[in-house]
């Protein structure tokens, strides 16, 4: 029998390779677009060429007459079935196909179903739509002006573009602290609109069986169970007759959390034609019409003593939500977890007020590789703290060390009500300084400044809140944010664990096998991980916001412990001793004081299913199921140091070094963690230096292709230097915190702080992303304009 050797302890095993990679490196991944079914039809969507217009008429006659075309459907046709509008994940409604008006460039207007993809795309050209162009609302700063055109005329009584207001913290207490502070620093800080841009775009294959009334939907979703329930509620299909399969996913990053009109169109098309229907969007469709991220205009204010003790932080945010509020966040948190904007610091007071508005842009506000707006929050606090360091003439590291929360303050309740579970911040920052050689870097910078060279050193320290969430506080459209897990051990001691979360490339098939292996002693290679199929996995809310490890990882550990408890009773019968006389060692139960008398988990599995009696009252089989409701979020943290050089002649920023020290509590798979961090850092450098979805004054999207929306490649990033500290979560069964998004959250401020530091000789305290050569050049000339 195989047991686990000591040097291969599953959790923390540094050499454990990814179980899924043999299939990926051989090109055997099976993505949505790989699904081929007999008689399958193809769907293409006609999108609005303009940002804001009334639809006067749509003529589909020529498209319908095209050979190979099976159906052409407009918003008016959907409206007849009550399907023209659907709820968003934020309790707003969004048009599946436009009926009255188009509200952003790229909005879905009609769809064609044809025998092949080419015919479907060609037929789109024959649909004749007459638009009555309306003035678009593009600038978020003027969206609430009294004369601004009203976008959401579909909402009864709506007379402006106001979406929602939100506040957190104590306004009066914060005001009082600001009044008595020695130093107050104010800065306007923009986090521009960016896009998750996963390698695989969004798509679906819908297969409605008219005989048994069952719908099978393969779709690029990060949350198959939640999507299934919402389809049942919206379309009125019985939930047990819907099977959502999320096959291999080519990156999600929050982009695949919302339900997009394309998914609904594919379902409708399959029901109408009685055939399987595939819809796959192309790159431009993905960039111009699916969930954007960020788009916050923030005024940050920080109050401190002359000696650099931070007293309070205050912010006012203007949030651009696009044409429909498609944010994916727990219902009680319309601004996501932005409330953690007080960061990692010991403050006396904090306050945030936010106004969200509608504009003629694509909807979204998705958690792009972050836990619901934490990226924006961390960027705000880490930028404003650097502005304070600038005004005080203090080293940014010294200022942070003076204000970081101390280990004895945990669990720490922030001034906006978040309970940080655990943290030991100073060693993490000191480790980053050690790896970077911080003092030496500052000496090098001083010498270079004397020579007129532009070298910058940027620091950021972040605390994330991941693992949504306790269901008493968190739900998405009424679905509580908990996760199920089921574990079955087969008679021969092999096992299958079924998860409600869904990997999109982050290695769950390996790490969840490791968690279970650690608890029940079956080697990871003997444990299969099943996910992404609502017919074959327990209910749960899915993977986003780094919630898999904090929630589903905890579920996996606990379900394995439940199985182990049963195995102990069976072992006591096999060894004829009481359960109290058994020790659990290396995948076997041993009689206390008599190591020669033992049974392995594999022996027990066979007995659980085999002939002969089991201890009194025990059912056969070795399996368990649970639904885990976390008692709190987990709060990973990290310290990042970035070194940049700016060419004074071209203003090109080169990231020369980047040190990232992360603390995600117990580390399950160090290699996978490192991969997650490398990816997140690359994302962060992209956002800081080159990514932005911009619009012209007519509302045309200027980031509709990868020629315009730049994403970083290996050429733009350095060899990452990573390190770690370990502060386990006290409430997670194995002490693990999430890590998938830490680097995307922590790196943009480090890069921007480094660029601003390099520009210090020009008297620059702040510059907005993306720090492209032209923007840096203009900033050097004193002409910085926010995006
Ligand atoms: O929800 P998502 O999977 O995107 O994020 P995560 O829970 O932070 O996990 C990302 C990957 O890192 C998974 O494969 C985790 O199992 C792994 N991980 C780990 O090995 N140790 C941790 N403490 C946290 C995550």
């Amino acid at each position: 029998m195989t047991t686990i050797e000591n040097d291969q302890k599953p959790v923390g095993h540094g050499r454990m390779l990814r179980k899924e990679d043999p299939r990926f490196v051989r090109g055997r991944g099976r993505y949505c677009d790989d699904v081929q079914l007999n008689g399958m039809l193809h769907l293409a969507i006609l999108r609005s060429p303009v940002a804001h217009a009334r639809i006067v008429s749509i003529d589909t006659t020529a498209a319908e007459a095209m050979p190979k075309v099976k159906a052409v459907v407009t918003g008016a046709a959907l409206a007849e079935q009550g399907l023209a509008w659907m709820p968003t994940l934020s309790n707003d409604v969004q048009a599946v196909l436009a009926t009255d008006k188009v509200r952003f460039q790229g909005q879905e207007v009609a769809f064609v179903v044809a025998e092949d993809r080419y015919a479907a795309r060609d037929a789109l050209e024959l649909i004749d739509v007459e638009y009555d162009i309306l003035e678009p609302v593009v600038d978020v700063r003027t969206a609430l002006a009294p004369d601004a055109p009203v976008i959401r005329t579909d909402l009864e009584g709506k007379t402006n573009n106001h979406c929602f207001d939100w506040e957190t913290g104590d306004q009066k207490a914060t005001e009082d602290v600001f009044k008595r502070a020695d130093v107050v620093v104010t800065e306007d800080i923009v986090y521009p609109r960016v896009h998750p841009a996963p390698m695989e775009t969004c798509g679906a294959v819908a297969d409605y069986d008219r005989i048994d009334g069952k719908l099978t939907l393969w779709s690029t979703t990060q949350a198959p169970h939640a999507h299934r329930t919402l389809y049942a509620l919206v379309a009125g299909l019985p939930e047990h007759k819907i099977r959502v399969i999320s096959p291999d996913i080519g990156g999600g990053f929050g982009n695949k959390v919302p339900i997009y009109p394309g998914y609904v169109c594919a379902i409708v098309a399959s029901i109408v034609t009685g055939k399987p229907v595939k819809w796959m969007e192309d790159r431009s469709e993905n960039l111009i019409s699916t969930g954007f991220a960020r788009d916050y205009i923030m005024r940050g204010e920080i109050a401190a003593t002359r000696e650099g003790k931070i007293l309070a932080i205050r912010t006012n945010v203007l949030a651009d939500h696009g044409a429909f509020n498609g944010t994916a966040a727990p219902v009680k948190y319309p601004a996501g977890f932005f409330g953690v904007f007080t960061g990692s610091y010991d403050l006396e007071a904090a306050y945030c007020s936010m106004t969200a508005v509608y504009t003629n842009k694509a909807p979204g506000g998705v958690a792009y590789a972050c836990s619901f707006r934490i990226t924006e929050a961390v960027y705000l606090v880490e930028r404003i703290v650097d502005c304070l360091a600038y005004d005080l003439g203090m080293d940014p590291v010294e200022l942070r060390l003076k204000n970081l929360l101390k280990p004895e303050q945990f669990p720490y309740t922030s001034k906006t009500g978040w309970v940080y579970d655990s943290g030991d911040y100073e060693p993490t920052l000191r480790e980053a300084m050690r790896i970077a050689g911080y003092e030496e870097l500052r000496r090098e910078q001083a010498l270079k400044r004397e020579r007129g060279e532009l070298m910058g050193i940027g620091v950021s320290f972040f605390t994330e809140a991941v693992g949504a969430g306790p269901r008493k506080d968190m739900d998405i459209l009424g679905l509580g944010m908990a996760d199920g897990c089921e574990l079955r051990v087969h008679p021969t001691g092999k096992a299958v664990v079924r998860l409600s979360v869904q990997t999109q490339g982050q290695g769950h098939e390996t790490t969840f096998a490791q968690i279970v292996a650690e608890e029940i002693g079956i080697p990871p290679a003997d444990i299969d991980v099943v996910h992404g199929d609502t017919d074959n996995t327990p209910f749960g809310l899915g993977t986003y916001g780094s919630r898999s490890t904090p929630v589903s990882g905890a579920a996996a550990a606990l379900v394995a412990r439940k199985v182990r408890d049963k195995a102990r009773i069976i072992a006591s019968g096999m060894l004829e001793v009481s359960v109290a006389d058994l020790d659990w060692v290396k995948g076997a139960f041993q009689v206390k004081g008599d190591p020669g008398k033992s049974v392995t988990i594999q022996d027990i599995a066979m007995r659980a299913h085999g002939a002969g009696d089991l201890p009194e009252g025990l059912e056969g089989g070795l399996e368990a199921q649970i639904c885990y409701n976390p008692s709190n979020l987990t709060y990973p943290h990290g310290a990042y140091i970035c070194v940049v050089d700016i060419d004074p002649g071209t203003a090109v920023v080169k990231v020369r070094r980047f040190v990232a020290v992360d603390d995600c509590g117990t580390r399950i798979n160090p290699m996978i963690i490192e991969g997650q961090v490398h990816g997140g850092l690359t994302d962060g450098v992209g956002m800081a230096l080159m990514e932005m979805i911009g619009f012209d004054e007519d509302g045309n999207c200027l980031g509709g292709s990868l020629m315009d929306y730049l994403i970083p490649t290996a050429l733009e990033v350095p060899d990452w230097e990573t390190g770690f500290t370990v502060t386990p979560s006290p409430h997670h069964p194995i002490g693990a915190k999430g890590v998938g998004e830490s680097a995307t959250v922590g790196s943009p401020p480090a890069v921007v702080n480094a660029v601003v530091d390099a520009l210090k000789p020009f008297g620059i305290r702040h510059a907005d992303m993306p720090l492209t050569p032209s923007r840096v050049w203009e900033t050097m000339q004193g002409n910085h304009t926010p995006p």
Side-chain angles (χ1 to χ4, degrees):
M1 288 286 171
T2 354
T3 50
I4 293 169
E5 299 306 321
N6 253 347
D7 65 339
Q8 294 189 351
K9 219 175 144 326
V11 164
H13 186 349
R15 285 165 293 145
M16 175 95 55
L17 297 179
R18 290 176 17 130
K19 292 173 69 169
E20 44 272 85
D21 282 350
R23 118 169 151 267
F24 289 137
V25 298
R26 287 170 173 82
R28 290 295 183 89
R30 190 164 188 259
Y31 299 87
C32 237
D33 204 22
D34 294 322
V35 175
Q36 298 293 346
L37 302 176
N38 280 342
M40 190 170 75
L41 302 174
H42 295 262
L43 184 149
I45 293 176
L46 181 72
R47 295 178 181 279
S48 169
V50 293
H52 199 191
R54 203 169 57 79
I55 296 177
V56 179
S57 63
I58 305 182
D59 184 351
T60 58
T61 330
E64 277 161 16
M66 234 186 98
K68 295 190 179 177
V69 167
K70 300 291 177 193
V72 182
V73 175
T74 61
L78 287 188
E80 281 170 24
Q81 309 299 320
L83 291 172
W85 293 83
M86 62 178 189
T88 70
L89 296 183
S90 292
N91 271 322
D92 194 356
V93 288
Q94 173 176 358
V96 176
L97 294 177
T99 49
D100 51 344
K101 288 204 299 186
V102 288
R103 292 175 169 84
F104 65 94
Q105 188 191 44
Q107 186 179 343
E108 298 78 2
V109 174
F111 69 80
V112 172
V113 186
E115 282 171 24
D116 59 54
R117 185 177 164 89
Y118 305 100
R121 302 285 291 217
D122 286 349
L124 295 182
E125 310 281 328
L126 301 180
I127 300 175
D128 192 11
V129 186
E130 193 188 333
Y131 293 106
D132 174 17
I133 305 290
L134 302 169
E135 188 192 335
V137 180
V138 182
D139 186 350
V140 59
R141 297 169 181 90
T142 55
L144 290 178
D147 58 346
V150 179
I151 299 166
R152 296 302 303 276
T153 40
D154 58 295
L155 300 174
E156 220 179 300
K158 192 89 188 139
T159 55
N160 58 33
N161 295 315
H162 181 259
C163 185
F164 65 82
D165 286 324
W166 175 79
E167 63 174 352
T168 186
D170 187 330
Q171 184 174 19
K172 171 79 176 53
T174 309
E175 228 172 81
D176 291 345
V177 175
F178 266 83
K179 273 187 202 143
R180 67 177 155 79
D182 300 333
V183 187
V184 169
V185 178
T186 304
E187 192 63 77
D188 288 325
I189 296 170
V190 178
Y191 207 131
R193 176 176 278 233
V194 294
H195 196 280
M199 202 184 290
E200 178 202 33
T201 58
C202 298
V205 177
D207 185 11
Y208 181 71
D209 186 326
R210 283 181 173 169
I211 295 172
D212 65 9
K214 178 138 186 169
L215 170 73
T216 305
L217 183 75
W218 288 261
S219 77
T220 51
T221 169
Q222 297 178 225
H225 286 278
H227 279 200
R228 180 189 59 177
T229 306
L230 296 175
Y231 292 133
L233 294 174
V234 175
L237 294 167
E239 196 167 2
H240 67 297
K241 294 283 187 187
I242 305 174
R243 177 182 183 189
V244 176
I245 300 174
S246 180
D248 284 327
I249 300 288
F253 313 110
N255 186 234
K256 291 167 181 167
V257 176
I259 293 182
Y260 292 117
Y263 301 152
V264 179
C265 293
I267 294 171
V268 171
S270 182
I271 292 174
V272 168
T273 60
K275 304 265 188 190
V277 175
K278 180 185 282 184
W279 165 69
M280 281 305 301
E281 64 186 8
D282 65 20
R283 176 62 56 196
S284 290
E285 291 182 289
N286 181 254
L287 284 170
I288 67 170
S289 73
T290 65
F292 75 90
R294 327 294 187 230
D295 225 342
Y296 270 16
I297 296 183
M298 307 178 276
R299 166 153 296 180
E301 292 177 277
I302 189 163
T305 66
R306 211 163 286 110
E307 296 72 36
K309 173 79 192 78
I310 301 174
L311 301 174
I313 297 183
R314 185 162 58 188
T315 179
N316 175 262
V317 181
L318 186 56
D320 187 341
H321 276 249
F324 308 103
N325 185 7
T327 302
V331 170
K332 260 169 68 178
Y333 301 85
F337 298 171
F338 187 79
V340 300
F341 69 89
T342 56
S344 316
Y345 308 108
D346 189 15
L347 314 174
E348 291 180 19
Y351 177 68
C352 165
S353 59
M354 179 179 293
T355 299
V357 299
Y358 291 116
T359 59
N360 286 114
K361 301 174 191 167
V366 298
Y368 166 15
C370 84
S371 194
F372 311 117
R373 305 287 191 179
I374 281 185
T375 310
E376 292 90 318
V378 167
Y379 184 63
L380 173 83
V381 59
E382 289 307 290
R383 224 20 319 277
I384 198 76
V385 164
D386 251 41
C387 292
L388 177 65
Y390 179 97
D391 275 21
L392 291 173
M394 260 177 101
D395 183 286
V397 160
E398 190 193 334
L399 179 60
R400 284 175 174 81
L401 283 171
K402 205 179 178 110
N403 289 284
L404 286 177
L405 292 164
K406 304 272 180 295
E408 59 275 13
Q409 289 177 276
F410 291 87
Y412 170 79
T413 304
S414 80
K415 295 298 172 214
T416 48
W418 299 79
V419 183
Y420 295 14
D421 59 347
S422 64
D424 191 359
Y425 292 170
E426 186 172 334
T428 311
L429 182 48
R430 296 234 178 252
E431 176 64 357
M433 292 166 71
R434 185 192 67 75
I435 298 172
Y438 187 74
E439 306 301 336
E440 183 51 37
L441 283 172
R442 284 289 175 206
R443 280 192 287 275
E444 181 191 343
Q445 183 185 42
L447 286 175
K448 287 194 162 154
R449 275 199 180 146
E450 278 171 23
R451 299 200 294 262
E453 293 174 37
L454 302 177
M455 168 184 167
I457 305 163
V459 181
S460 76
F461 195 99
F462 65 90
T463 301
E464 264 199 292
V466 302
R471 62 194 299 167
K472 68 177 166 46
D473 296 323
M474 293 177 200
D475 67 270
I476 291 205
L477 284 188
L479 300 174
M481 301 192 78
D483 275 285
C485 189
E486 182 196 297
L487 176 63
R488 280 189 210 165
V489 183
H490 305 311
T492 57
K494 315 293 181 195
V496 55
V497 59
R498 296 174 194 278
L499 312 174
S500 56
V501 293
Q502 157 66 39
T503 188
Q504 302 112 36
Q506 57 272 63
H508 289 182
E509 287 164 49
T510 308
T511 47
F512 280 83
Q514 287 178 260
I515 295 172
V516 173
E518 178 79 25
E519 298 296 334
I520 57 167
I522 295 173
D526 289 350
I527 301 170
D528 239 5
V529 175
V530 174
H531 54 183
D533 180 347
T534 53
D535 268 11
N536 287 306
T537 57
F539 185 86
L541 270 248
T543 291
Y544 38 86
S546 293
R547 66 186 296 280
S548 302
T549 303
V551 189
S552 212
L558 292 178
V559 82
R561 286 180 194 173
K562 221 169 158 179
V563 166
R564 195 175 68 200
D565 288 346
K566 181 170 180 183
R568 180 187 288 272
I569 301 173
I570 299 172
S572 79
M574 292 168 79
L575 295 166
E576 297 179 334
V577 293
S578 83
V579 287
D581 287 333
L582 290 174
D583 284 331
W584 171 249
V585 273
K586 281 195 212 165
F589 283 106
Q590 232 172 47
V591 175
K592 277 195 165 79
D594 188 359
K597 281 188 79 180
S598 71
V599 283
T600 65
I601 187 76
Q602 289 84 0
D603 299 332
I604 298 167
M606 186 54 87
R607 172 59 73 95
H609 296 87
D613 276 344
L614 292 173
E616 188 76 33
L618 205 67
E619 283 177 8
L622 194 54
E623 54 197 60
Q625 175 158 10
I626 66 162
C627 179
Y628 177 75
N629 174 28
S631 57
N632 189 8
L633 299 153
T634 65
Y635 290 77
H637 68 269
Y640 291 178
I641 297 177
C642 174
V643 182
V644 301
D645 297 306
I646 302 178
D647 183 327
T650 62
V652 170
V653 176
K654 180 175 169 45
V655 178
R656 190 203 324 160
R657 287 185 64 196
F658 201 108
V659 174
V661 176
D662 276 279
D663 190 322
C664 58
T666 304
R667 293 153 57 84
I668 299 156
N669 187 313
M671 183 196 70
I672 287 181
I673 293 174
E674 202 165 331
Q676 295 285 293
V677 171
H678 287 188
L681 295 175
T682 306
D683 258 349
V685 168
M687 280 180 268
L689 299 184
M690 59 190 81
E691 294 181 28
M692 184 170 105
I693 299 279
F695 293 84
D696 71 10
E697 58 193 20
D698 294 324
N700 293 310
C701 177
L702 303 177
S705 84
L706 293 182
M707 295 290 283
D708 308 299
Y709 185 71
L710 302 182
I711 55 176
T713 69
L715 294 178
E716 281 86 30
V717 297
D719 282 340
W720 308 113
E721 300 169 67
T722 55
F724 64 93
T725 53
V726 176
T727 315
S729 166
H731 64 87
H732 189 283
I734 63 167
K737 303 179 178 184
V739 75
E741 299 163 335
S742 295
T744 318
V745 170
S747 56
V751 179
V752 175
N753 288 348
V755 172
V756 172
D757 184 50
L759 299 179
K760 206 171 179 179
F762 294 84
I764 306 292
R765 191 178 73 178
H766 176 68
D768 283 308
M769 300 185 283
L771 292 163
T772 56
S774 59
R775 186 179 290 278
V776 174
W777 179 261
E778 290 300 330
T779 304
M780 284 159 63
Q781 316 307 313
N783 299 329
H784 180 77
T785 44

